Amino acid sequence: MTEESAHDGPTESTLETDGSGISGDEGVVRRDRFSGGPARSFLSSLAADERIFEADIEIDRAHVIMLAEQDIIGDDVAGQILMALDAIEVDGHASLPDGEDVHEAIETAVIEGIGPDGGKMHTARSRNDEVAACIRYRLREDVLEAIETTLALRESLVEVAAEQTETIMPGYTHLQPAQPTTVAHWALAYEGAVRRDTERLFDAYQRINQSPLGGAAFAGTTFDIDRERTADLLGFDSVVENSMDASSSRDFLLETTQALSTHATTLSGLAEDIIIFANRGFVDLADDYSSTSSIMPQKKNPDTLELVRAVAGDAAGSVQGLTTTLKGLPRAYNRDLQRATTHAWETVDAVTEASEVAAGAVATADWNAETLAAEAGAGFSTATGVADLLAANGLPFRTAHELVAIAAESGADYDAIAAAAEEVLGEPLESVVEPDAVEAALDPAESVASRDSQGGPAPEAVNPQLEAARDALGADEETLEATDDALEAAHQALRSEVNDYV
Ligand code: ARG
């Protein structure tokens, strides 16, 4: 299909026969005047629209069926259009005639296929509500895939936690040794964050999955359309009521990109932790998730996780780009919106991939229990536990803190604590606390075991966290499956409606 034939022949005939008085938007008026000239490729979103090609065909189908059901177009014309759409779908996006965007190109192809009556497809709608519907239709699938990767990551983290409830490791604040903890406690910390990322994405999904179709250019239509019907045919949960809101709002894009960016930020912290742990010999990444050096034969580098870490930067950049594009846009539709969408596609692709890779890297990594245990007490990490012990035996916590701080400077062992007790209290340590209890508090494993407050690292405090993580994961898996099934059911139902016409 040459550009000329796409824009002259069939387009002319649409204009000639389309005397229905339908108020179209300016883009559908494809006179030569509006063919773009030197700015044509700048105007066109056709290449980027490949992403919404399938969505647009489905949306065309639902719209055409609704038009026929409402007696706005005849069943025979609807059948012809639906048949043409099937053929266009089979030929694929690459075979579309030239056009300013996929909506225009598909309409042109329908008209080329069946003649001027193909132009009836665009009755009672605009590309404005059409593109909004396409974006929502495609994005909801992408977000469900992103959600799936968050679930896979949570599963990996839960598995690590289940296997490592007793594996003592150093815990850090300011990246300085702080207090001993366990690998399970660390893994569940990230599981909690990723769980909230999942929740945010499900939340965004609900607002994506609303139908803008029928909003038309922004001001609704004179035709007796049934917006609930198209929403239902496309598996949308509801209709975006106000037609101006429907056709021109993109806060759902912003919300989704933000939720993805938040998840990418979680992933970047997780990646950084593992990079540090790998550096310290605490964990070995599987070869599949490592890279080597082209010059240094001994190298095994955590490149995949470095890339995961970097995706947070891209996602934050997209949020910024999208926010800036949307800021101050007047209602209703403005062409700026064409460039808003790409931020969401880029983000959902990058974050989904990063999430998937993180899940794989976590699931296949090997934890070095011995190295972790040897390092767990480094930097006098049990100091807080000793101070807690002294406080539990009657010392004001502030005095205990001062005493242990002095010991930390002078050996950080039992003798140093005893000397500090003499200095601060003017009496022997044994008069405050049993020596055995101090020795136990100095032991990283005992230290962990004693921190059994709700949510703490002691195995008996971790077990309920693990159980809650499993329950939440199971529930979210069910929600995802039900949501996927609902979309698939809508797709099948639409197909069988189409089959009644073709
Ligand atoms: N390609 C356009 C977009 O992505 C479709 C809508 C064009 N509408 C218009 N009135 N020019 O936003």
Side-chain angles (χ1 to χ4, degrees):
M1 176 54 50
T2 66
E3 190 170 307
E4 200 169 84
S5 57
H7 288 278
D8 294 341
T11 310
E12 284 298 320
S13 27
T14 332
L15 287 168
E16 277 159 21
T17 57
D18 193 9
S20 59
I22 305 162
S23 60
D25 60 54
E26 69 281 12
V28 175
V29 181
R30 281 160 277 156
R31 299 188 188 99
D32 286 346
R33 241 177 91 202
F34 294 117
S35 63
R40 179 154 192 80
S41 71
F42 185 64
L43 270 171
S44 177
S45 60
L46 186 56
D49 287 347
E50 183 171 4
R51 184 143 189 151
I52 52 170
F53 171 73
E54 305 280 343
D56 200 46
I57 300 251
E58 285 286 273
I59 282 150
D60 286 344
R61 286 173 174 142
H63 181 68
V64 165
I65 287 167
M66 183 277 292
L67 291 177
E69 288 173 354
Q70 296 295 105
D71 292 327
I72 296 169
I73 63 172
D75 286 353
D76 50 334
V77 171
Q80 287 176 44
I81 295 173
L82 291 168
M83 237 165 345
L85 288 171
D86 281 355
I88 293 165
E89 185 177 42
V90 170
D91 291 346
H93 180 267
S95 306
L96 284 176
D98 194 22
E100 195 175 272
D101 53 33
V102 73
H103 323 294
E104 196 184 279
I106 290 175
E107 188 187 342
T108 302
V110 169
I111 294 166
E112 282 172 2
I114 67 166
D117 274 351
K120 293 191 174 179
M121 181 171 78
H122 208 58
T123 311
R125 74 171 183 190
S126 148
R127 283 184 298 160
N128 297 351
D129 59 336
E130 188 181 357
V131 72
C134 290
I135 299 165
R136 288 169 179 271
Y137 186 97
R138 176 61 204 252
L139 187 61
R140 66 185 185 180
E141 282 170 26
D142 292 334
V143 166
L144 291 180
E145 256 183 60
I147 288 173
E148 195 175 347
T149 65
T150 68
L151 300 185
L153 176 55
R154 282 162 59 186
E155 196 178 339
S156 300
L157 289 164
V158 162
E159 263 170 42
V160 168
E163 284 164 16
Q164 315 283 351
T165 51
E166 312 269 345
T167 311
I168 308 298
M169 71 177 288
Y172 301 92
T173 61
H174 313 274
L175 211 48
Q176 300 292 329
Q179 296 185 66
T181 185
T182 66
V183 172
H185 193 242
W186 170 87
L188 289 174
Y190 277 109
E191 190 283 331
V194 180
R195 195 191 310 172
R196 291 188 295 278
D197 293 342
T198 309
E199 284 167 13
R200 272 183 283 268
L201 289 167
F202 270 132
D203 213 37
Y205 179 89
Q206 288 178 19
R207 278 177 290 274
I208 295 168
N209 199 29
Q210 299 174 351
S211 177
L213 265 188
F218 77 89
T221 172
T222 55
F223 290 93
D224 180 26
I225 56 170
D226 186 345
R227 296 189 64 196
E228 303 291 341
R229 178 63 173 150
T230 41
D232 195 47
L233 284 169
L234 293 165
F236 287 115
D237 293 328
S238 60
V239 159
V240 183
E241 185 73 15
N242 178 286
S243 61
M244 187 185 291
D245 184 28
S247 299
S248 54
S249 63
R250 293 292 186 276
D251 51 285
F252 72 92
L253 279 186
L254 187 54
E255 176 181 19
T256 305
T257 309
Q258 285 166 337
L260 289 162
S261 170
T262 302
H263 180 49
T265 305
T266 307
L267 291 175
S268 71
L270 173 70
E272 173 69 353
D273 263 4
I274 300 175
I275 290 164
I276 291 167
F277 295 165
N279 174 273
R280 295 180 183 177
F282 298 169
V283 72
D284 288 326
L285 285 180
D287 287 352
D288 284 350
Y289 292 94
S290 308
S291 213
T292 186
S293 160
S294 61
I295 178 169
M296 298 168 281
Q298 85 287 8
K299 291 283 271 179
K300 179 177 170 183
N301 298 324
D303 294 37
T304 52
L305 292 168
E306 290 164 0
L307 289 164
V308 168
R309 187 173 57 185
V311 165
D314 300 339
S318 286
V319 170
Q320 183 71 8
L322 182 54
T323 307
T324 313
T325 300
L326 296 180
K327 180 199 165 293
L329 271 193
R331 288 290 191 268
Y333 181 87
N334 298 273
R335 195 59 171 271
D336 312 49
L337 294 178
Q338 181 167 294
R339 295 187 83 96
T341 317
T342 43
H343 292 295
W345 301 143
E346 280 165 16
T347 307
V348 75
D349 287 347
V351 176
T352 301
E353 203 180 4
S355 190
E356 198 173 9
V357 166
V362 168
T364 54
D366 270 336
W367 293 87
N368 300 325
E370 273 178 31
T371 313
L372 286 164
E375 281 301 310
F380 199 17
S381 70
T382 51
T384 310
V386 175
D388 284 343
L389 177 70
L390 296 173
N393 282 276
L395 248 60
F397 182 78
R398 191 51 54 216
T399 308
H401 185 281
E402 184 195 343
L403 190 161
V404 179
I406 291 168
E409 303 273 290
S410 57
D413 57 8
Y414 185 92
D415 292 344
I417 296 164
E422 288 284 357
E423 184 185 329
V424 173
L425 308 175
E427 52 180 315
L429 184 61
E430 299 86 45
S431 67
V432 180
V433 61
E434 291 289 327
D436 279 359
V438 177
E439 292 291 4
L442 282 167
D443 178 65
E446 299 267 4
S447 173
V448 165
S450 65
R451 270 172 293 115
D452 58 359
S453 56
Q454 183 180 4
E460 73 250 46
V462 158
N463 285 332
Q465 299 172 48
L466 192 51
E467 207 174 307
R470 283 191 173 121
D471 288 350
L473 180 58
D476 284 346
E477 278 167 352
E478 272 174 33
T479 305
L480 178 64
E481 205 183 313
T483 313
D484 278 333
D485 288 352
L487 293 189
E488 181 55 25
H491 179 66
Q492 296 301 337
L494 178 56
R495 185 66 240 173
S496 82
E497 294 281 353
V498 169
N499 288 343
D500 288 346
Y501 288 85
V502 298

